[in-house]
Amino acid sequence: MLARALLLTVFLAATVSPAIPQELQAPESVARTIRELLAGLEDRPIEALWDAVHRVGTVDQEVAVPVLREALESRGERARLASAVALVDVDDDDARDEAIAGLAKLADRARSNEVRVAAIHVLGEYGDIDQTVEFLQDLIERTSEPAVLIPIARTLWDLDKVPVAKDKLLELLQSRDPSVKSDAALALAEIDYLDGDVRDVLRRLRREPTPRGRLAASLLYNSTLARRFERALDSGEVIFDEADPRVLLQEKEKRIRELETKLDDVREGRGLGGGGQSFPEISEILELIRTLHVERSRLSRRDLIVAALKGMVKSLDPFSSFMDPEETRRFHTDFSGSYPGIGAQVGKPAPKAPLEILKPMYKGPAYEADILTGDQILEVDGEPTNDMELEDIVARLKGKPGSTVKLTVFRRGWDEPRTVELTRRTIEVPSVTYNMLPGGVGLVKLLQFGERSYDEFREAIFDLKQQGAEGFVIDLRNNPGGSLSAALDIVDLFVGEEELPIITQRGPDDASGERTFPKPDMLPDPLVVLINGSSASASEIVAGALKDYHRATVVGKRSFGKGSVQKLLELSPTVNDALDGEARLRLTVQYYYLPSGRCIHSIRDGDGRVIPGKEGGIEPDVVVDANTYPGWLREEFERIRTSKKVSVYVEKHFDALEDLLLGGDSGDLGKYPEFEELYRSLMEDAAEGAESRRASRDHVRQIVRFQLRRRYEDSIGKEIGGDFQDDPQLQRAVLELLEKLGVDPAKIENYAWMVEEKKSE
């Protein structure tokens, strides 16, 4: 009964919305209005669908049913779902049968998980029980996504208490993904299974100030009351008239209905804190600001409240934050590793300069249209880019997938600009780049830990092994972290069964914490891991665990020391409505502990400085400094790079220079044709009287290699992992790996000079 009530609350409660006006009730007008209503659902939130169903329900069935049956065959998933939901309640048996069949198709094959879940719930509500159970039993065996598996299991259990439903939820309860584990526990609790881990998870969840946390608290409360009630019946403390079993059942159902009402109140944010708390001190300050501040006309109550929330959460620690709706959308885009647009990194070398392509995404529309590194975008949809701010240009380049944008492109060597029309699409940004280095060294660079990082990393490892890699350098420098599950899976790839956990997550209320152990299977290849002061979070977990398990030598500089766990907490509909969008609270709840038991988190003061004696992070086995450049030299580098003379030089001599990229040049300028002419030409452009602050020949060689790398990546349509030639940290990592492999680097032409430099240190 509880589950059925929740289904009705979430999916079938009609949103209060106006019916189709009487003046539009002519059949042709109504049919056109319904089609427009359905067509507009595809870009709207799923909640809009139920509103549309309610509006269609106000129309004469003779007019609505033919239009809805026609929409069942449309391309839009949301339109098909809305039509099916509207048809399951009509008096036309044929239309209802078509709607049920349409719901089954959506439940099975819809691209959107939201649509699949909604179709599953409506099937459970309106479909023939026997047929629906048979269909969902087949579907649950063919589905692997937890977001869909859990609703299937819940519906199966509600319909017929099918054992496989509970079994699947118990499997998901063992997931490494905290979100999946929590959702599985909530689903099990809703079917009255609160044994073992379920109760432990609910107790942890109930501390969250979120709908999920409040639901966990209510389920625990419901369970406690039910047990007390049953004990009271057993002991005779509660006595019913005539002790009639039917009376007992009625009383129990009445109590359950009361609990369901309380649960609904909690879900909707009602009745919290004894009827809701008010904070007169905050209200008073808000009113004073909006009444007396010199620029009060631009201040809104919403913006002030958001600022107050941000300040409150920021005061807790450097990593907790309150994210307003716009920041929440950006966070999900960054974490997913995808965004809608043309697929290119862009910049402006000067305020009045045209837009420049810094690097195309090699699976994006720009690269497919032959737009390459260094190309200038003179116009976007007819608007000159030299008069626009970079942010405005980027906003114009992004857009809905499937929409188009016209670019006027110019490349040095062309007689005139060319106009191309690109169709925007969702761009998948890779989080892993890699390439082979001489001597059987595979280089894999992880840019971040996202949803697809483990799959990309594993593919890179096996591709490099096919190319002859005998060991790997894993570059985690400047990697800010991300997905914990991706980090654990990567460690698991190289570590066999161990008594110590890869990571332990422990907070103030956790005695032993959540521990994750490695699985038995492993790859035995030798490893070196590169880190620096900007390697954080998941990067430190990978580096620290591989070091503690004695699987890798760590090279570079001490990592950042970000070993805390942030949970992204949902907020109530009341809060989200007040903020005009979906906001999130990112709250630090635990610390990470490595296999050795050491916490990697650095404790910092209010200014972000590490408190002496509270240093965390990963200390490398081999400490190596990176190259550093003074400010004037960085400016000189940028002047030379943007002069275009280097890119013209690289284009002219690309065939002769290509082998120098992956194999190195030993710092020999003689390997670069016409290099002296290039250098003199670049120095002629330097400001007068700045002889002492001009780039050296070796500096220009480094800039040539940078442009050579960009040109090479454009030619192969793939970003490489790195260039060891001018990277002392990567050089040392290569030497350490060769030592593990038992290979003498002095006998490898590409590395012999590195051995001599190491001897002179």
Side-chain angles (χ1 to χ4, degrees):
M1 180 180 294
L2 173 61
R4 188 72 61 192
L6 292 178
L7 282 179
L8 291 171
T9 299
V10 176
F11 288 104
L12 300 177
T15 304
V16 177
S17 62
I20 295 176
Q22 290 295 323
E23 61 269 20
L24 296 180
Q25 291 288 331
E28 292 181 1
S29 298
V30 171
R32 183 170 60 253
T33 301
I34 294 174
R35 290 189 183 97
E36 291 172 355
L37 189 65
L38 295 174
L41 292 176
E42 298 311 314
D43 296 325
R44 300 192 64 197
I46 195 75
E47 291 79 13
L49 185 145
W50 311 108
D51 186 56
V53 170
H54 177 63
R55 295 187 65 189
V56 171
T58 66
V59 177
D60 185 349
Q61 285 191 14
E62 290 186 7
V63 178
V65 168
V67 181
L68 294 171
R69 294 176 76 173
E70 171 190 297
L72 285 174
E73 304 300 323
S74 70
R75 295 177 62 184
E77 291 180 350
R78 279 170 161 75
R80 284 154 50 200
L81 176 61
S83 303
V85 174
L87 286 170
V88 292
D89 214 16
V90 301
D91 295 330
D92 187 327
D93 291 340
D94 290 338
R96 292 188 67 207
D97 290 345
E98 291 177 14
I100 295 296
L103 288 168
K105 288 181 182 178
L106 290 169
D108 191 4
R109 296 190 292 272
R111 294 187 301 275
S112 165
N113 281 346
E114 281 186 316
V115 171
R116 291 188 70 186
V117 170
I120 289 163
H121 282 304
V122 180
L123 270 177
E125 191 67 31
Y126 287 96
D128 176 84
I129 290 181
D130 293 336
Q131 292 178 355
T132 302
V133 167
E134 182 180 356
F135 168 73
L136 292 180
Q137 280 183 298
D138 174 64
L139 185 59
I140 202 171
E141 297 299 338
R142 295 186 287 106
T143 302
S144 59
E145 297 181 67
V148 181
L149 261 178
I150 292 173
I152 296 175
R154 285 286 290 107
T155 304
L156 268 175
W157 187 264
D158 284 344
L159 290 174
D160 202 26
K161 292 185 169 51
V162 179
V164 70
K166 184 187 291 184
D167 293 342
K168 289 291 184 182
L169 291 174
L170 289 171
E171 286 179 20
L172 293 172
L173 186 65
Q174 306 307 314
S175 172
R176 284 182 175 178
D177 186 328
S179 180
V180 173
K181 188 181 185 78
S182 298
D183 290 343
L186 289 169
L188 284 163
E190 287 179 318
I191 67 173
D192 296 326
Y193 183 94
L194 284 97
D195 296 344
D197 291 345
V198 175
R199 195 175 295 277
D200 291 339
V201 174
L202 294 186
R203 285 170 177 159
R204 187 165 59 251
L205 283 177
R206 69 182 175 184
R207 296 193 295 270
E208 295 184 2
T210 64
R212 187 173 70 172
R214 292 190 288 273
L215 175 58
S218 296
L219 288 167
L220 286 169
Y221 181 58
N222 188 358
S223 172
T224 301
L225 288 178
R227 289 201 307 274
R228 289 177 183 171
F229 187 71
E230 289 169 3
R231 285 198 300 268
L233 286 176
D234 292 340
S235 65
E237 293 175 23
V238 175
I239 302 175
F240 297 100
D241 294 341
E242 301 176 2
D244 188 332
R246 288 174 299 177
V247 176
L248 293 176
L249 181 61
Q250 291 171 0
E251 185 66 24
K252 192 166 186 177
E253 287 188 345
K254 176 184 176 183
R255 182 60 183 149
I256 290 174
R257 285 195 297 272
E258 291 174 355
L259 291 172
E260 287 175 353
T261 301
K262 289 186 177 182
L263 178 59
D264 288 341
D265 286 344
V266 170
R267 280 177 170 271
E268 297 299 323
R270 300 188 296 267
L272 300 177
Q277 287 183 310
S278 61
F279 298 93
E281 62 273 33
I282 295 178
S283 299
E284 180 178 335
I285 292 172
L286 280 173
E287 191 60 31
L288 288 172
I289 291 172
R290 298 185 68 201
T291 303
L292 300 176
H293 191 271
V294 65
E295 295 188 25
R296 55 187 175 274
S297 60
R298 67 174 179 82
L299 302 176
S300 71
R301 183 180 181 84
R302 175 194 178 279
D303 290 344
L304 289 171
I305 290 174
V306 168
L309 292 172
K310 285 180 179 292
M312 176 174 63
V313 179
K314 185 179 180 181
S315 70
L316 303 175
D317 65 89
F319 306 106
S320 293
S321 62
F322 173 77
M323 298 191 295
D324 62 31
E326 179 58 32
E327 290 167 330
T328 301
R329 284 191 291 271
R330 285 202 303 269
F331 175 85
H332 287 307
T333 298
D334 293 342
F335 186 71
S336 69
S338 62
Y339 68 93
I342 66 168
Q345 293 180 8
V346 297
K348 296 192 75 174
K352 289 297 182 180
L355 189 73
E356 179 183 346
I357 299 294
L358 301 179
K359 184 176 66 175
M361 299 292 102
Y362 295 117
K363 293 183 180 179
Y367 183 72
E368 292 169 0
D370 192 37
I371 295 177
L372 304 177
T373 301
D375 286 354
Q376 293 180 335
I377 308 300
L378 304 183
E379 295 180 352
V380 176
D381 283 335
E383 293 289 328
T385 60
N386 59 334
D387 293 331
M388 298 169 63
E389 296 292 333
L390 180 60
E391 292 79 5
D392 295 335
I393 303 173
V394 170
R396 287 172 178 259
L397 294 176
K398 290 183 178 181
K400 292 182 180 179
S403 61
T404 60
V405 60
K406 284 187 178 180
L407 306 180
T408 302
V409 185
F410 181 73
R411 180 180 303 163
R412 187 174 293 275
W414 288 357
D415 294 332
E416 58 184 18
R418 302 175 186 177
T419 300
V420 295
E421 183 173 86
L422 303 182
T423 300
R424 300 180 181 94
R425 66 170 185 258
T426 299
I427 308 301
E428 302 294 339
V429 182
S431 56
V432 175
T433 62
Y434 64 96
N435 57 278
M436 279 293 297
L437 297 180
V441 175
L443 172 62
V444 184
K445 183 173 182 62
L446 266 155
L447 305 173
Q448 64 173 358
F449 290 82
E451 294 173 349
R452 301 182 307 277
S453 295
Y454 171 69
D455 292 334
E456 292 179 23
F457 180 86
R458 193 172 185 276
E459 180 182 333
I461 290 293
F462 283 98
D463 188 7
L464 289 170
K465 286 171 75 72
Q466 288 288 324
Q467 296 181 46
E470 298 177 9
F472 299 95
V473 174
I474 303 173
D475 190 351
L476 299 176
R477 291 175 296 177
N478 303 312
N479 184 319
S483 167
L484 173 62
S485 62
L488 295 175
D489 286 339
I490 287 172
V491 173
D492 223 350
L493 195 61
F494 298 107
V495 177
E497 194 167 12
E498 294 275 354
E499 294 183 2
L500 297 174
I502 298 173
I503 201 72
T504 300
Q505 299 168 237
R506 190 160 64 241
D509 299 325
D510 304 319
S512 59
E514 302 173 50
R515 299 185 294 172
T516 303
F517 290 87
K519 300 170 186 174
D521 298 331
M522 63 175 286
L523 295 178
D525 308 86
L527 303 173
V528 174
V529 176
L530 272 170
I531 60 173
N532 65 5
S534 296
S535 303
S537 191
S539 302
E540 297 174 288
I541 290 172
V542 172
L546 292 177
K547 178 181 179 180
D548 280 4
Y549 286 133
H550 305 290
R551 276 294 286 116
T553 300
V554 179
V555 174
K557 299 290 287 183
R558 182 191 285 270
S559 61
F560 181 79
K562 196 275 183 185
S564 56
V565 184
Q566 282 72 46
K567 279 193 175 180
L568 199 60
L569 305 176
E570 296 181 354
L571 302 177
S572 70
T574 303
V575 173
N576 289 331
D577 288 346
L579 299 177
D580 300 322
E582 193 174 339
R584 288 286 189 271
L585 176 62
R586 190 165 179 259
L587 197 64
T588 300
V589 294
Q590 292 172 320
Y591 287 134
Y592 289 129
Y593 296 83
L594 292 170
S596 62
R598 189 173 69 86
C599 180
I600 59 178
H601 193 70
S602 296
I603 306 301
R604 290 173 160 79
D605 60 22
D607 296 322
R609 292 187 293 265
V610 177
I611 297 172
K614 301 290 185 179
E615 296 91 349
I618 307 301
E619 180 67 25
D621 299 300
V622 181
V623 177
V624 182
D625 290 326
N627 283 333
T628 57
Y629 303 99
W632 70 265
L633 186 53
R634 290 197 294 270
E635 292 178 5
E636 181 74 346
F637 278 178
E638 185 65 11
R639 177 189 71 80
I640 293 171
R641 187 192 71 80
T642 57
S643 73
K644 302 299 181 184
K645 289 185 177 181
V646 174
S647 58
V648 171
Y649 170 84
V650 168
E651 189 66 36
K652 178 181 178 181
H653 298 290
F654 180 69
D655 292 339
L657 299 174
E658 185 175 355
D659 290 341
L660 297 179
L661 180 61
L662 300 183
D665 60 25
S666 305
D668 185 357
L669 297 175
K671 295 181 179 180
Y672 293 84
E674 301 181 4
F675 182 85
E676 190 60 29
E677 290 85 342
L678 170 67
Y679 180 75
R680 284 201 300 268
S681 176
L682 289 168
M683 293 307 104
E684 288 172 359
D685 297 337
E688 292 185 10
E691 287 80 0
S692 63
R693 292 203 166 191
R694 291 182 181 177
S696 69
R697 286 171 174 78
D698 192 64
H699 292 142
V700 172
R701 178 191 60 80
Q702 294 178 37
I703 299 171
V704 168
R705 291 189 67 82
F706 174 81
Q707 294 293 82
L708 176 60
R709 175 176 172 176
R710 289 285 182 260
R711 174 64 177 82
Y712 176 79
E713 290 171 338
D714 285 352
S715 71
I716 64 172
K718 174 181 173 293
E719 190 174 351
I720 65 172
D723 175 10
F724 69 87
Q725 181 59 55
D726 299 297
D727 185 341
Q729 293 177 329
L730 179 53
Q731 291 167 14
R732 186 57 180 268
V734 169
L735 294 178
E736 293 292 329
L737 184 62
L738 292 174
E739 183 177 335
K740 286 174 175 281
L741 293 171
V743 176
D744 183 0
K747 295 180 179 179
I748 300 176
E749 180 182 354
N750 310 83
Y751 299 144
W753 64 274
M754 290 163 42
V755 177
E756 294 303 318
E757 286 196 356
K758 183 181 176 183
K759 288 180 181 178
S760 64
E761 290 178 358

